[in-house]
Amino acid sequence: MRSTPTPRMMSLGLSMRGTGYHSAGWRDPSTPDNAELDPGHFARVARIAEAAKFDMVFLADALGMRDLDLDREALARTARVSRFEPITLLSYLAGQTSHIGLVGTASTSYNEPFHIARKFASLDHLSGGRAGWNVVTSLSDDEARNFGRETHFSYADRYERAREFVHVTFGLWQGWEEHAFIRDKQSGIFFDPDKLHLLNHKGKHFSVQGPLNIDRPIQGYPLISQAGQSEDGQELAAETADIVFSIQNSIEGAKSYYDSVKGRLAKYGREPDELRVLPGLQPIVGRTEDEARAKFDALQALVDEGVGMAHLTSLFGDLSAYPIDGPLPDMEPKRSGAAATVIRLARDIARGGDLTIRQLYQALAPGRGHKVLIGSPIRIADTMEEWFRAGAADGFNITPATLPRGIEDFAELVVPELQRRGLFRTEYTGRTLRENMGVRRIGGTQQVTA
Amino acid sequence: MRSTPTPRMMSLGLSMRGTGYHSAGWRDPSTPDNAELDPGHFARVARIAEAAKFDMVFLADALGMRDLDLDREALARTARVSRFEPITLLSYLAGQTSHIGLVGTASTSYNEPFHIARKFASLDHLSGGRAGWNVVTSLSDDEARNFGRETHFSYADRYERAREFVHVTFGLWQGWEEHAFIRDKQSGIFFDPDKLHLLNHKGKHFSVQGPLNIDRPIQGYPLISQAGQSEDGQELAAETADIVFSIQNSIEGAKSYYDSVKGRLAKYGREPDELRVLPGLQPIVGRTEDEARAKFDALQALVDEGVGMAHLTSLFGDLSAYPIDGPLPDMEPKRSGAAATVIRLARDIARGGDLTIRQLYQALAPGRGHKVLIGSPIRIADTMEEWFRAGAADGFNITPATLPRGIEDFAELVVPELQRRGLFRTEYTGRTLRENMGVRRIGGTQQVTA
C-alpha cells in the first residue's frame, strides 16, 4: 500500500504594520489609536493569525525614520514614522502566542553578525523554535547617516557584505552541536567540550571568533527569508533563504520571477520546493463584491492628495509642472538601488492601467505597490488558487490595508474557503516554524558553499 | 499642618542568572534542568520578584562565551556558557509581568547608539515604561574577537567612547518631544513636525543623524544603571546614571565607595539621592541559622575543585606550584582593566580572612565576589538595615545562589521583615520604573553637559 502523498499547501504570512499597509489605514474608524505602539494590539493581531493557522507573522523594518524626504505638510500626515523595533516586538510576541512563526527584518549593512546570530538564537529559544530572520541590505542614505556614513553602501558592496554576513551567522549557529548540553547534576558535567566549535572566521568584511554564548537555535537555523528582486538579491535568496517575499502585480510577472529565482536553486544543490516564493497580497474582502468595494472606497476617500503627491515626488522627482489629472510624464527615477524596483513597479502600474498622476497615487495608497484584491471570499480564493496552481506563488504574504480588521476579515471569510479547497492547513502539525512549513534547514542535509 | 515626609525606602533588584550565581547552583536539586534557557523559568522568577514588590529584575551580559580561558576539564563543568540575550528576554518578560522594572546590559564598546537607543525605547513601550539600560564597556579580548578586533579597547578609549555613546543615546531619546503624536483621524494630521528634531551628532566616535523611528520612551529616558568601580566608571555614573551596582564585601568598603561616587554628583548639578547605590548581595536564608547554614553547606559540597582552581588561575595565573591548603602567594594579577577590580577583591578576601587557596575558591564560588549573607531573616534584615542606615547602600542587587529557590526564600522570609521595619514598599505606587523608584530622568529638569 502506498501512502497518499501530502497535498502541497500554501504558506501564509501576515505582514504586521500597526496601522495597516494602506497609507490612510490609521484614519479608518476601526483602527485603534496608538496602533503602531500598542503591544496589546500586536498580540491580538498575532493571535488572530495564529487561530487562522498562518505560518508566520512578519515585521518589515528600516534603520531610520521613513519619509524624511517628504515636505513637512505631507510628513505630518504619514503614519510610518514610529514603530516597534522588530526583534523586541517578536520576543514579546513569543510569550503571547504558541504556534505561529515570528519573522523579523534585520539589516546586514548596519549590524554585526554576532549580534544578529545571537538575538535570533535567543528568539528561537524564547519561542520554542519559531524564529525567522528576514535578511535585508537596507535602502537609504537616511539609514546610513544613523551609522556614521554619509551615503548608503553601493549595491555591489552591500550584497558582498550580506553574503559574508549570512555565512558567518550560519557558522555561529553551528558553534554548538546538537545535544552538547548534558547537564548531569550527579557528575557535575554541564556540557561536552567536543561539541563546542570556535568559528575563527576571517573574511573581507568580518572577523568573528565565536562561539555564541547561547546553545544552537532549536531549529538549527531560524527560518531565513529575503525579498531580493535584483540579480544579486535572487542569487543570495537561492543560496541561503527558505522563503522569498516578492512584490508582483500580475500573474505573468509573478510567474517569471518565480521561475527565475527557483531556476537558481540547482546550482546550490537545492530542490525547487526548498525555497518558497510568497508575493505580497492585500485582500479587501467583503461578504459580497459590493461590500468589499464599499470598504475599499471608504479607505480611498481618506487618502490625502498632499501625501500621495509627496510619495510620487519621492519616487519620480518634482511633478508640480504636470496636470494632476494628466498622464505620468516619462521622467527618470529619482532614486537608484533597491528603491528602483519600487519605482519601476509604480511606472508599470501607471502605464499598464493608463493612469493619471492622481490615479497613480490612489493606486499606490493601499499597498504601496503590493497587489490589491477587492472582492468576495470566493473571488479572492480563486485568484490565490490560480496563482498557486500556475506556479506564480507558493503562498502569500498578506499585507492588510488596516489592522486588526484586515486580518479579522481574511481569517473569517477567506481562510475557511482556502481550507475547504484543501489549499491551506486546518491544524498546525509541527512544533517549530520549519516543521510547520516543512522546510529543512540549509546545511542540515547539504553544505552551503562558503 | 506639615505632611509626614515619605520615609526613605530601599531599592531592590534581582539579578537573574538562570542557574543562580553560585558556581554549582545548576547542580542543586531545586534548580530546574535547562534553567539557563527556559523562558518559563525566567517568567516565574520575575513574577516572584514582582509579587515581592522588587524594583527591578536585572540581566548581566557579556558579548562572547565566558570562561573560554579555562581548561577543557574545568570548562565542561561551568554553566555560564549559554544564556539568553538580555534585550530579547526582557522584551518577552514585558508581557509576563506588569509592574517590575526590566533592566538589561548592553555594551557601548561593540554596539551602535542608534540600535541601543531604539531597542530600549521599544522595550520601554512594550513594558509601559519599565525599561532600564545597564551601560557597560565590556571586559575581554574574547569579546573583541567577535567584533573584528584582536584585543579589547584600552581603558581610556573605552570610557571616552562610552561617554559619547551615552550622550548620543540621550540625544536620540529627545528626538521626539512629548505629545508629538496627535493622530487626529478627522484632519489627517498624524504628528506635529515642530516636535521632531534631528540630532545631527558628529563626534569623535559616532556620527548619527536621527531621529529614532519610534516615539520617545515612555519614561523619557529608560532608567540608566552602571557598575563602574574605577575612576572613569564612577565619573560616568555620576554624570549619566540613575543607579550603580557595586561589588562590596565590607560595610567600610561599601561606605567609602558610596561616598566617592555620591561626592561626584554636585559637579553635574545633581542631588545625592538622584544616584542610587546598590551593592550586590547573596542572601542564603533559612528559618533558623542552622537551616541557612545547612543550605549553604549543601551547595558548597557541590563545588568542583577543578572549576575552583581554574577560576583562580584565570585571575592570578598558574598556581599549581603552590600547596592548595597553603596561603595565596603574592602574585601579579593576570588580567588588567575592569577585571582588575574583581582580582583585587579576591585578593582582599583572601588576605582579610587569612584564607588558603582552597578556602579562597570556596569563598568565591557562591557569589564570585559579591557579599554572601548566611542566616535567619532577622539577621539578614539587620545587616541590610545597617548598611542602608550607615550610608553604605541605597538598596541591594540580590544575586541569589540558585533560582527560583533563592528568590522564593528571600521573598517569603526577608521581604516581609524589611516591610515590617518600614524599609521596603508594600505596594507599587507608580506606573513606570522611574515613578516606582522616585528617580526623575537626567535632563528632565537639568541639562546634561555634552
Side-chain angles (χ1 to χ4, degrees):
Chain A
M1 246 184 78
R2 290 172 54 193
S3 63
T4 322
T6 317
R8 184 172 154 256
M9 293 268 191
M10 281 185 189
S11 303
L12 288 182
L14 172 67
S15 187
M16 297 192 296
R17 186 171 291 174
T19 56
Y21 266 74
H22 195 289
S23 72
W26 71 274
R27 297 181 67 185
D28 190 81
S30 68
T31 304
D33 286 339
N34 196 27
E36 77 281 8
L37 278 186
D38 173 4
H41 171 61
F42 283 92
R44 192 163 57 247
V45 163
R47 285 196 209 105
I48 296 168
E50 182 167 87
K53 316 301 176 195
F54 267 54
D55 293 81
M56 71 197 98
V57 291
F58 166 75
L59 292 172
D61 196 40
L63 289 173
M65 200 183 104
R66 298 218 200 228
D67 300 322
L68 259 185
D69 51 357
L70 297 191
D71 67 55
R72 286 168 58 87
E73 183 67 18
L75 189 61
R77 294 166 173 274
T78 169
R80 304 202 304 168
V81 294
S82 175
R83 56 165 70 181
F84 282 112
E85 185 279 330
I87 293 172
T88 46
L89 178 55
L90 294 175
S91 299
Y92 165 85
L93 291 175
Q96 308 293 315
T97 54
S98 349
H99 301 286
I100 199 164
L102 304 165
V103 182
T105 298
S107 168
T108 55
S109 294
Y110 303 108
N111 270 303
E112 292 283 340
F114 189 89
H115 287 309
I116 294 301
R118 185 180 180 218
K119 286 189 169 73
F120 280 97
S122 194
L123 177 61
D124 210 44
H125 283 279
L126 283 171
S127 62
R130 297 185 284 131
W133 172 30
N134 182 47
V135 180
V136 302
T137 63
S138 297
L139 279 173
S140 74
D141 293 342
D142 280 327
E143 294 172 270
R145 291 188 194 114
N146 290 326
F147 298 93
R149 293 177 57 95
E150 275 306 308
T151 56
H152 192 26
F153 292 101
S154 76
Y155 174 76
D157 285 354
R158 229 154 66 209
Y159 273 94
E160 185 186 78
R161 181 181 160 107
R163 188 169 181 273
E164 187 180 336
F165 192 117
V166 172
H167 284 294
V168 170
T169 304
F170 286 179
L172 286 168
W173 285 333
Q174 292 174 355
W176 295 94
E177 288 181 36
E178 281 190 274
H179 314 301
F181 291 89
I182 300 162
R183 303 187 188 90
D184 182 356
K185 290 185 175 186
Q186 217 47 48
S187 67
I189 304 288
F190 192 73
F191 74 93
D192 179 355
D194 289 344
K195 295 192 169 166
L196 164 62
H197 306 286
L198 268 62
L199 180 62
N200 288 324
H201 171 88
K202 285 196 195 301
K204 180 167 171 192
H205 299 275
F206 305 103
S207 295
V208 181
Q209 174 183 269
L212 286 185
N213 50 351
I214 182 166
D215 191 7
R216 72 190 286 102
I218 290 174
Q219 298 181 92
Y221 301 169
L223 195 82
I224 304 295
S225 71
Q226 279 173 235
Q229 306 278 318
S230 68
E231 269 301 305
D232 288 3
Q234 289 189 41
E235 208 60 35
L236 186 63
E239 185 182 354
T240 65
D242 302 295
I243 52 177
V244 278
F245 300 118
S246 71
I247 181 164
Q248 298 291 343
N249 261 269
S250 71
I251 190 168
E252 296 75 27
K255 258 186 76 65
S256 143
Y257 175 78
Y258 188 98
D259 292 341
S260 168
V261 71
K262 295 248 181 177
R264 297 164 200 257
L265 290 167
K267 193 188 319 181
Y268 302 103
R270 303 179 70 196
E271 301 292 326
D273 197 43
E274 289 183 50
L275 179 68
R276 308 285 170 85
V277 179
L278 275 63
L281 176 66
Q282 181 170 113
I284 312 269
V285 58
R287 283 165 210 284
T288 62
E289 297 290 317
D290 283 352
E291 190 182 296
R293 175 56 61 175
K295 280 184 189 172
F296 181 69
D297 290 345
L299 273 170
Q300 289 297 90
L302 298 171
V303 176
D304 184 85
E305 180 178 311
V307 177
M309 286 307 299
H311 180 205
L312 292 191
T313 306
S314 76
L315 298 177
F316 299 104
D318 187 9
L319 294 166
S320 58
Y322 303 90
I324 191 164
D325 290 312
L328 184 73
D330 201 17
M331 296 177 75
E332 278 311 297
K334 197 178 156 194
R335 295 183 183 172
S336 62
T341 304
V342 181
I343 296 170
R344 271 194 303 275
L345 191 91
R347 251 178 157 162
D348 291 349
I349 291 171
R351 287 176 187 165
D354 236 346
L355 304 185
T356 64
I357 290 175
R358 187 192 305 278
Q359 286 167 335
L360 178 59
Y361 82 63
Q362 285 170 338
L364 294 177
R368 293 185 87 91
H370 284 292
K371 182 167 182 64
V372 180
L373 263 180
I374 307 160
S376 69
I378 301 287
R379 186 194 184 107
I380 286 171
D382 281 350
T383 302
M384 293 175 75
E385 181 167 5
E386 185 192 358
W387 283 45
F388 182 64
R389 297 215 187 275
D394 296 314
F396 297 90
N397 192 31
I398 304 298
T399 56
T402 62
L403 283 174
R405 201 182 61 175
I407 182 64
E408 282 169 350
D409 288 352
F410 187 84
E412 185 190 341
L413 300 172
V414 182
V415 168
E417 178 61 25
L418 296 173
Q419 290 169 330
R420 203 184 55 75
R421 299 181 187 193
L423 294 170
F424 191 57
R425 74 168 65 80
T426 53
E427 283 304 333
Y428 291 106
T429 50
R431 194 179 48 106
T432 67
L433 173 56
R434 283 188 180 277
E435 285 172 9
N436 278 316
M437 290 194 67
V439 289
R440 59 186 180 180
R441 93 173 154 82
I442 296 173
T445 49
Q446 74 264 347
Q447 200 55 44
V448 172
T449 56
Chain B
M1 247 183 78
R2 289 173 55 191
S3 63
T4 320
T6 316
R8 183 171 154 257
M9 293 269 188
M10 280 185 190
S11 303
L12 288 182
L14 171 66
S15 188
M16 299 192 294
R17 187 172 289 175
T19 56
Y21 266 73
H22 196 290
S23 73
W26 71 273
R27 298 182 66 184
D28 190 80
S30 68
T31 305
D33 287 339
N34 195 28
E36 78 280 10
L37 277 186
D38 173 3
H41 171 62
F42 284 91
R44 190 163 60 249
V45 163
R47 285 194 210 108
I48 295 168
E50 183 168 89
K53 317 299 176 199
F54 267 54
D55 293 83
M56 71 198 100
V57 290
F58 166 74
L59 292 173
D61 196 40
L63 289 173
M65 202 184 102
R66 299 219 198 225
D67 300 322
L68 259 184
D69 51 356
L70 297 190
D71 67 54
R72 287 168 57 87
E73 185 66 20
L75 190 61
R77 294 166 174 272
T78 169
R80 303 203 305 167
V81 294
S82 176
R83 58 165 67 182
F84 282 112
E85 184 280 330
I87 293 173
T88 45
L89 178 55
L90 293 175
S91 300
Y92 165 85
L93 291 175
Q96 308 293 314
T97 55
S98 345
H99 301 286
I100 198 164
L102 305 166
V103 182
T105 299
S107 167
T108 56
S109 295
Y110 303 108
N111 270 303
E112 291 283 340
F114 190 90
H115 287 310
I116 294 301
R118 185 181 180 216
K119 285 190 168 73
F120 280 98
S122 194
L123 177 61
D124 208 45
H125 283 279
L126 283 170
S127 62
R130 297 185 284 131
W133 172 29
N134 183 47
V135 180
V136 303
T137 63
S138 297
L139 280 174
S140 75
D141 293 342
D142 279 328
E143 294 172 89
R145 291 188 194 112
N146 290 327
F147 298 93
R149 294 178 57 95
E150 273 308 307
T151 56
H152 192 26
F153 292 100
S154 76
Y155 174 76
D157 286 351
R158 229 155 64 212
Y159 272 94
E160 186 186 78
R161 182 182 159 106
R163 187 169 181 273
E164 187 181 336
F165 193 117
V166 172
H167 284 295
V168 171
T169 304
F170 286 180
L172 286 169
W173 285 334
Q174 293 174 353
W176 296 94
E177 289 180 33
E178 282 190 272
H179 313 302
F181 291 89
I182 301 162
R183 303 188 188 89
D184 182 354
K185 289 185 178 189
Q186 216 47 46
S187 69
I189 304 289
F190 193 74
F191 74 93
D192 178 355
D194 288 344
K195 295 191 169 167
L196 164 63
H197 306 285
L198 268 62
L199 180 62
N200 288 325
H201 172 88
K202 285 195 195 304
K204 180 167 169 191
H205 298 276
F206 305 104
S207 295
V208 181
Q209 173 183 269
L212 287 185
N213 49 351
I214 182 168
D215 192 8
R216 71 190 285 105
I218 290 174
Q219 297 181 93
Y221 301 169
L223 195 83
I224 304 295
S225 71
Q226 278 172 236
Q229 306 280 318
S230 68
E231 269 301 306
D232 290 0
Q234 288 189 41
E235 208 59 38
L236 186 62
E239 184 182 355
T240 65
D242 302 294
I243 53 178
V244 276
F245 300 118
S246 70
I247 181 164
Q248 298 291 343
N249 261 270
S250 70
I251 190 167
E252 297 75 26
K255 258 186 76 64
S256 141
Y257 174 78
Y258 188 99
D259 292 341
S260 168
V261 71
K262 295 246 182 179
R264 298 163 199 257
L265 289 168
K267 192 189 320 179
Y268 303 103
R270 303 181 68 197
E271 300 292 325
D273 198 43
E274 290 183 50
L275 178 68
R276 308 285 171 84
V277 179
L278 275 62
L281 176 66
Q282 181 169 116
I284 311 268
V285 58
R287 282 163 211 285
T288 63
E289 298 289 318
D290 284 352
E291 189 182 295
R293 176 57 60 178
K295 279 184 189 173
F296 181 69
D297 291 345
L299 272 171
Q300 290 296 92
L302 298 172
V303 175
D304 184 85
E305 180 179 312
V307 177
M309 287 308 298
H311 180 204
L312 293 190
T313 305
S314 75
L315 298 177
F316 300 103
D318 187 9
L319 294 164
S320 58
Y322 303 90
I324 191 163
D325 292 310
L328 184 72
D330 201 17
M331 297 177 74
E332 279 312 297
K334 197 179 156 194
R335 294 181 184 174
S336 62
T341 305
V342 181
I343 296 170
R344 272 194 302 275
L345 190 92
R347 254 178 152 161
D348 291 350
I349 290 170
R351 286 174 187 169
D354 236 346
L355 303 185
T356 65
I357 290 175
R358 186 193 305 280
Q359 286 166 334
L360 178 59
Y361 81 65
Q362 285 170 338
L364 294 177
R368 293 185 87 92
H370 284 292
K371 180 164 182 69
V372 179
L373 263 180
I374 306 160
S376 68
I378 301 287
R379 186 195 184 105
I380 286 171
D382 282 350
T383 303
M384 291 175 74
E385 180 167 5
E386 184 191 358
W387 282 45
F388 181 65
R389 297 214 187 275
D394 296 312
F396 298 90
N397 191 31
I398 303 299
T399 56
T402 62
L403 283 175
R405 201 182 60 176
I407 182 64
E408 282 168 351
D409 288 353
F410 187 84
E412 184 191 342
L413 301 172
V414 181
V415 168
E417 179 60 25
L418 296 173
Q419 289 169 331
R420 202 185 57 73
R421 299 181 188 194
L423 294 170
F424 191 57
R425 74 168 66 79
T426 53
E427 285 303 334
Y428 291 106
T429 50
R431 195 179 47 106
T432 67
L433 173 55
R434 285 189 178 276
E435 286 172 8
N436 278 317
M437 290 195 68
V439 287
R440 59 185 181 180
R441 92 174 156 81
I442 296 174
T445 49
Q446 74 266 347
Q447 200 56 42
V448 172
T449 55

